[in-house]
Amino acid sequence: MTGSSTANLLEMQNITKRFPGVLALDNVTLKVKPGSVHALMGENGAGKSTLMKCLFGIYSMDEGKITFNGNEISFANSKQALENGVSMVHQELNQVRQQNVMDNIWLGRYPKKGIFVDEKKMYEDTAAIFKSLDINIDPRSKVSSLSVSEMQMVEIAKAVSYHSKIIVMDEPTSSLTETEVNHLFRIIKRLQSENVAIIYISHKMEEILKISDEVTIMRDGQYIATRSAKDLTTDEIIKLMVGRDLSQRFPAKENKPGDVILKVSDLTAETQPSFSNVSFELKKGEILGIAGLVGSKRTEVVEALFGIRALKSGKIELNGREVKNHSPQHAIKNGFALVTEERRSTGIFSDLSISFNSIISNMRQYKTKSGFLSNKKVADDTQWVIDSMKVKTPSQKTSIGSLSGGNQQKVIIGRWLLTKPDILLLDEPTRGIDVGAKFEIYQLINQLAAEGKGIIMISSEMPELLGTTDRILVMSNGKAAGIVDTKTTSQEEIMRLAALY
Amino acid sequence: AGCSSSTSGSGDSASSKDSKLPAVGATIYKFDDNFMSYVRRAMETSAKGNVNLMLNDSQNDQAKQIEQVDTLIAKGAKSLAINLVDPKAAQTIVDKAKAKDIPVIFFNKEPDESVLQGYDKAYYVGTTSSESGVLQGELIAKAWEANKDKWDKNHDGKLQYVLLKGEPGHPDAEARTKYVVDTVKSKGIQVEQLAMDTAMWDATKATEKMDAWVSKYSDKIEFVIANNDGMALGAISSLEKAGYFSGDKFVPVVGVDAIPEALEMIEKGKMVGTVLNDAKNQGKATIDLATNAAKGKDVLDGTEWKLDDKKAVRVPYVEITKDNIQVGKDAYK
Amino acid sequence: MSTEALKKSGSKDIQKSKSGFSKWIVDNVIYLVLLLLVVGIVVASPDFLSMTNLINILSQASSRVIIALGVAGILILAGTDLSAGRMVGLAAVVSASMLQASDYAYKMYPHLQELPLFVPIIIAMLATGLISAISGVIVAKFHVPPFIATLGMMIVVYGTSSIYFDRPPYGAQPIGGLSEKFTTFAQRGIKLGQYEFPYLIFYAIIVSLIIWVIWNKTQLGKNMYAIGGNPEAAKVSGVNVAKNIIIIYMIAGLLYGFTGVLEAGRVGSATNNTGNMYEMDAIAACVVGGVSLTGGIGTVPGIVTGVLIFQVINYGLAFLGVSPYIQFIVKGLIIIVAVAFDMRKHAKKK
Amino acid sequence: MSTEALKKSGSKDIQKSKSGFSKWIVDNVIYLVLLLLVVGIVVASPDFLSMTNLINILSQASSRVIIALGVAGILILAGTDLSAGRMVGLAAVVSASMLQASDYAYKMYPHLQELPLFVPIIIAMLATGLISAISGVIVAKFHVPPFIATLGMMIVVYGTSSIYFDRPPYGAQPIGGLSEKFTTFAQRGIKLGQYEFPYLIFYAIIVSLIIWVIWNKTQLGKNMYAIGGNPEAAKVSGVNVAKNIIIIYMIAGLLYGFTGVLEAGRVGSATNNTGNMYEMDAIAACVVGGVSLTGGIGTVPGIVTGVLIFQVINYGLAFLGVSPYIQFIVKGLIIIVAVAFDMRKHAKKK
Ligand SMILES: Nc1ncnc2c1ncn2[C@@H]1O[C@H](COP(=O)(O)OP(=O)(O)OP(=O)(O)O)[C@@H](O)[C@H]1O
Ligand SMILES: Nc1ncnc2c1ncn2[C@@H]1O[C@H](COP(=O)(O)OP(=O)(O)OP(=O)(O)O)[C@@H](O)[C@H]1O
Ligand SMILES: OC[C@H]1O[C@@H](O)[C@H](O)[C@@H](O)[C@H]1O
Ligand SMILES: [Mg+2]
Ligand SMILES: [Mg+2]
């Protein structure tokens, strides 16, 4: 915050934003230089997205002043923001899935020929943008047929296509693989060379330090500090974010794998293309990671174990006995639990309370003899979830949709722990979650394993797999490419296996 | 028991077998209308063995009826018997029939005279919508004169009434509402309307409107006039709740249609009277004319019906009170 | 931000209580709407404020509350039910046909003995419960959108009850001459001082309580909210989605059946058109009462209030003697305005 | 699965073409349903296969296609429109009242000169267009759920058209005696050989083409799909969501108005009850034709096919001489079964 203020492209000063019952932003300041990558960091719920939405005209701030390009601005809606050189990649994928890629990219500003939309120009322009960004997607394909990472790349391309002076990227890499992340970084470098500024929100430390010039850190809706990235270390960032030291990223492992409890042999999905001939074993008290590129069908394997996806052949043995999970009910009865990958669409009941979200999978336990649910047991278990998961919430009745992503995730994990599962399946359990919360979740996983549960964890974050698991199953294009021992393997070996088929 | 009705519900399944008989295409404005269901039955009875009667339910939708006429013509109807939904739509149907030279017998709902005059093969069988209102009015006037000292509760010499109207815009509702009051007045009786509202022919709605009126006017109401018996019954149920018809608490109620339940109420003294539409003869006359027309004969050939100067066979309404209740009951034999 | 930060803020208490109160108002706006309506009518006609009118409105609202609670369960599942009104008609016709007084001349079953009251009631309710469960199966197992499944069912049920109703010897005649025990059941009440409180009101209260318990205190109820809120998540959470949907439809069917019985008894007769379009009023009352058509949201007190609002409008306008056509216009406008106000509670603050 | 992965898979071509064909069948099942229906009726009654019947069905479908396309736009926005039928009624009454033959005895406006045909048509369409735009404002600006906004509007419009309709000198009489140019416009057609193809069919074709162009070739159309598919996405992409919603409602209103004019002309008279409940058939036809009630999905050919399916059922059952009450049951079942089959296209195979 030295340097003359005229050098800044964007200055957001003393921004305050209240939601009913919540002070989401409390006097926050953000200054971004042209052509720089400015990282915005903070724990879940720190107010990063809210700050950006105030800039982008989605929310109107209650107090404060925004100067952009030398002029004081306050966009009434997104259209104004886009027209004035601010574009944004949103944290939640905001696409019209029923329409095709180019319809999505030009939404709100279709090229026209007379009164008609100029489809040809639209196609050519899209193709040109994709080409310049090195993206290989057919502009005419339906968005719903894309993989999540492809959707994400389309969103990024769309933001770039506005030729804005500043682009906000709110967790753009949450569903990208390593290669795609590198691809994004190349795009960012190019934009930077064209003097475009980027505000980059992410929970991934390595990325931040690699890509950004400056870092602004927020905590609890307040501005904490802005530093040059060169001068920062991961530990320092974490300290600023959480307000205390967090010496290591991963807790020490205490679990001791025992006998085999789950034996999976030759599993093949009914509807192909999907996984085929997948075999592995899981031991009591073991944490088994599953690595692979996005699209390698890791999710489908755990879905099949949980009875959501039909099997053509194969055998699942639990403690030596064959089990057939035809539905989640069967799976739950057999002691399985699944924390799904897409929290919003298959995890939370957004409008309903934390209490409801905690107990929904474990309802049988609350029935009294009369058949009604016991208020007390429900309240006790909800409180257990809130306390042991360290969920930040005003009350049990708060709707889960108003919590930050990390806190939502903790409630979901708590939900499944209430069912006292033997086998816990975790699909990207830390996606979009801040370091502090991540650490807590790793601790939890560790502790559960130490208690003798078998845990399978899918993750796209290599350090996470290496830091928490005992063994790692690597999937490649629907097949099991190999199982490696975490202690002795390397990132390179995993990458090699992931690209095997 | 429900199954037997699937054949008797429509003369049509019989028709496919009797395909040698001349085909008469018929539309009923609304199949489950309580009065029209009797007319329909009479038509089926008369048609048996004489003509192949193809019945259609217009579901109270004139556009639907026009389409059914197209279908009937496409199916080769030799004459049409049409119970209009909306009397002013007659011309459209005549145009369609005329183009194929098919005779049309309108029944129960009367088209404009000019329409009948415009096509030599168009006739009408039925009553006049206004007649039911007139008869209801006469019935009210007679009863009022006979019981004035008891029924004129406020002794002002005026008849204070509430009126439950059928569906607004429905020709019967409009005609009955207008003519019943006009007729009472024409008999020299002073009237005062306390309230009028539509209950859409519906007993439940009538009960609820009546609840509000009873609460508001209580004993000021001296007569309850309903456009049909269904609503009259609804009103009675509300009045009973308020303690009427037990002891000497009483208010006269009248309706139209002479449905069995209403006859029962008249016998029990809870209703003063109703007006009977002669279903049997309307149905019979309609089929008689349509059969002759289909066979290419003079429409009156071999029948005792007479046409008036408007090319119409008139089947009169009958007012029903306790005195001639048997007339009403016979209609259901 | 977090509650902690809030605690830090100086004038937190004032702030909290203030936003608390205005939030309370916004959250409870429908109760205010009801109050305002009553006040409005009373101002226009002070004699509206009478015990008789209150009893009338409550008893008229009673059967509507019951059908509305049935429909509401399905709405909370993010479904809809267009067949409700026709189900009411079926149950009305069936129960009335079996409860005609033995000395009535135009009986549908001339030789039928007088049955104990509960037998026809149970038969009618089982019929509609079963049919509605079939709708549930069509929705849950064949994935037909509820709009279409229940539209189809509405037409099928109407055809069925017409066939049942319109047949020899008397054809399409209102089924009347109901036995006295039936009309007593639906028309009489408990005398308290000079007033008679219709049993209907108590039936509605009892049904509301039962439904409240089901929705709030049982696994079925929780599952219903879960399915309506997020069916995918419910499935993954181990809820047997299809089974629960079918049960909720079945309960709705039972309630429609009971409504039909009450309608026949209350009016003293039944036709195949009894109940026609009741579903529209029921759905509208639910929405006015805060049920979300996108599922997952709705409470019993809200729904009861929604029904009362409609009934106060209907009764009040008739009581005021507003001309019928103007009644339509006023009623339409009130519905829109009431919901527009209520929507402010969901309005995402920008 | 990503396209890359697909490219990698070996037997991609065979696999693609095979799944392509069965996918084609599944995606186009409604056209098959239509075909099957026709075949079924022809088998039952071979003389169904005639030019006259074809023309009858097409002309009966015509005004229904027009109202359905109006409703469909709103459905694609993830809305609904219960007022459509009453709007048809309003337009019918308004246009008929201004198009009575000058020598007709019971004219509503006895002194009105005969107007050029297009004047009353335009007036009627502007009236419904405006009213529907108001519904749009209520939905878009006041966030009233479309179900309630249009339910309220339905009641208001019915009251309004009743007031317009029921007044001196003749009171609530059906408005008849329409001028010949009006009936010609709606009842006559183009003679080709021995057959007369009603103009109605051509109006429906022209309207379908216009709507197809709007939906597929203009910004408005793309915005409509986007708003229906994901309103948040549309908003953050700078689409003026409210404006587009209001325009789509307005277009729907214009189409209802045109339908009303055609209904009056086709029937030769109009009452305030004209068009009652048309919206139900229209919505059902849209859903059968593949429009998703959750928004974002729907095509003109699909909707036209949906309407045709309904019309073939209606016409076919009447032609076969099925008893009316049985017709209801059969019709209800066909709707459910047709959609159940169609739903397989959305069935997530897992
Ligand atoms: N529309 C809203 N209504 C009420 N509260 C909200 C709303 N949006 C955000 N909040 C609250 O504001 C606070 C900040 O949320 P925000 O989404 O900005 O956090 P974030 O830093 O982006 O977190 P994450 O890393 O999890 O995305 C949180 O407490 C959140 O619950
Ligand atoms: N055939 C397909 N059509 C459309 N979407 C698909 C298809 N296959 C997978 N997806 C989607 O693409 C994403 C990738 O899932 P997939 O199971 O293929 O890989 P994964 O390795 O489990 O992915 P992740 O690493 O994100 O868990 C999922 O969101 C899935 O819904
Ligand atoms: O349209 C329905 C109405 O038709 C009338 O003719 C009849 O008298 C009424 O009872 C009612 O049935
Ligand atoms: Mg965020
Ligand atoms: Mg007097």
Side-chain angles (χ1 to χ4, degrees), chain A residues 343 348 400-413:
Chain A
R343 187 167 59 235
I348 61 168
I400 195 170
S402 66
L403 297 186
S404 73
N407 283 307
Q408 292 177 4
Q409 187 73 342
K410 289 187 215 163
V411 174
I412 305 287
I413 295 177

Side-chain angles (χ1 to χ4, degrees), chain D:
Chain D
M1 186 203 69
S2 65
T3 38
E4 282 101 317
L6 195 67
K7 272 174 215 143
K8 269 181 252 159
S9 85
S11 58
K12 59 177 186 236
D13 279 332
I14 301 159
Q15 222 186 6
K16 220 179 176 177
S17 69
K18 189 195 154 191
S19 82
F21 180 69
S22 66
K23 190 177 168 334
W24 186 89
I25 298 258
V26 168
D27 280 354
N28 294 281
V29 74
I30 51 158
Y31 305 104
L32 288 178
V33 166
L34 180 56
L35 197 73
L36 277 178
L37 271 175
V38 173
V39 169
I41 299 171
V42 169
V43 167
S45 169
D47 51 349
F48 181 68
L49 216 56
S50 78
M51 196 62 182
T52 317
N53 286 336
L54 179 66
I55 292 175
N56 278 344
I57 290 175
L58 291 180
S59 73
Q60 291 177 10
S62 298
S63 58
R64 292 185 169 88
V65 162
I66 299 172
I67 182 177
L69 289 171
V71 170
I74 297 177
L75 295 179
I76 293 174
L77 287 177
T80 191
D81 194 346
L82 301 178
S83 68
R86 292 304 188 186
M87 298 264 207
V88 168
L90 179 66
V93 166
V94 168
S95 59
S97 72
M98 294 188 214
L99 279 167
Q100 293 180 293
S102 54
D103 57 347
Y104 182 65
Y106 311 98
K107 285 179 72 174
M108 191 163 206
Y109 300 107
H111 307 299
L112 188 72
Q113 306 279 352
E114 253 196 52
L115 297 167
L117 191 54
F118 73 91
V119 175
I121 296 183
I122 299 288
I123 293 177
M125 288 176 66
L126 285 184
T128 52
L130 180 72
I131 295 174
S132 193
I134 295 175
S135 299
V137 171
I138 296 170
V139 168
K141 295 284 189 182
F142 297 96
H143 309 288
V144 173
F147 183 92
I148 289 291
T150 60
L151 175 83
M153 212 39 120
M154 158 177 118
I155 307 176
V156 170
V157 169
Y158 176 63
T160 309
S161 69
S162 296
I163 289 176
Y164 181 88
F165 166 74
D166 178 4
R167 60 180 159 150
Y170 298 108
Q173 290 305 316
I175 303 171
L178 303 186
S179 83
E180 201 174 311
K181 63 174 174 262
F182 190 20
T183 52
T184 304
F185 172 73
Q187 296 179 11
R188 290 279 76 78
I190 299 174
K191 277 241 154 69
L192 281 174
Q194 62 175 130
Y195 297 108
E196 182 170 338
F197 290 84
Y199 298 132
L200 278 176
I201 301 179
F202 300 99
Y203 304 150
I205 293 174
I206 292 168
V207 170
S208 302
L209 286 177
I210 295 174
I211 296 296
W212 186 87
V213 169
I214 294 179
W215 287 7
N216 294 286
K217 298 285 157 203
T218 70
Q219 179 163 357
L220 176 66
K222 292 195 181 264
N223 285 346
M224 172 184 79
Y225 284 107
I227 293 168
N230 187 343
E232 281 300 313
K235 203 170 126 194
V236 298
S237 301
V239 173
N240 187 332
V241 173
K243 187 179 99 184
N244 282 281
I245 290 180
I246 294 167
I247 296 176
I248 294 292
Y249 271 86
M250 192 194 65
I251 292 177
L254 296 174
L255 295 177
Y256 305 153
F258 191 50
T259 308
V261 171
L262 293 180
E263 287 296 287
R266 173 162 90 102
V267 170
S269 75
T271 76
N272 59 341
N273 206 30
T274 302
N276 188 17
M277 302 285 288
Y278 279 22
E279 64 278 351
M280 281 295 153
D281 279 353
I283 297 174
C286 288
V287 178
V288 168
V291 176
S292 157
L293 292 173
T294 51
I297 298 178
T299 67
V300 172
I303 293 157
V304 172
T305 309
V307 172
L308 284 174
I309 288 177
F310 268 80
Q311 219 42 46
V312 166
I313 298 176
N314 280 336
Y315 191 93
L317 292 178
F319 191 85
L320 293 182
V322 175
S323 130
Y325 295 142
I326 306 279
Q327 278 187 36
F328 284 111
I329 298 180
V330 175
K331 186 174 161 188
L333 292 178
I334 294 180
I335 295 171
I336 293 174
V337 172
V339 175
F341 270 104
D342 193 34
M343 278 307 121
R344 318 188 83 210
K345 112 179 132 206
H346 302 296
K348 260 190 241 142
K349 266 215 231 133
K350 269 204 161 177

Side-chain angles (χ1 to χ4, degrees), chain A residues 331-352:
Chain A
I332 293 169
K333 239 179 250 157
N334 289 327
F336 288 73
L338 169 65
V339 175
T340 57
E341 166 184 30
E342 308 227 0
R343 187 167 59 235
R344 263 221 308 191
S345 61
T346 58
I348 61 168
F349 301 93
S350 175
D351 293 327
L352 298 173

Side-chain angles (χ1 to χ4, degrees), chain B residues 77-115:
Chain B
K78 292 281 176 282
S79 70
L80 296 172
I82 304 296
N83 173 212
L84 291 162
V85 175
D86 156 5
K88 302 280 180 193
Q91 188 63 51
T92 307
I93 289 174
V94 163
D95 289 346
K96 287 180 188 291
K98 205 171 174 180
K100 304 273 174 191
D101 198 33
I102 300 172
V104 190
I105 319 297
F106 293 103
F107 64 105
N108 179 261
K109 288 200 200 166
E110 188 170 5
D112 286 346
E113 195 189 336
S114 61
V115 177

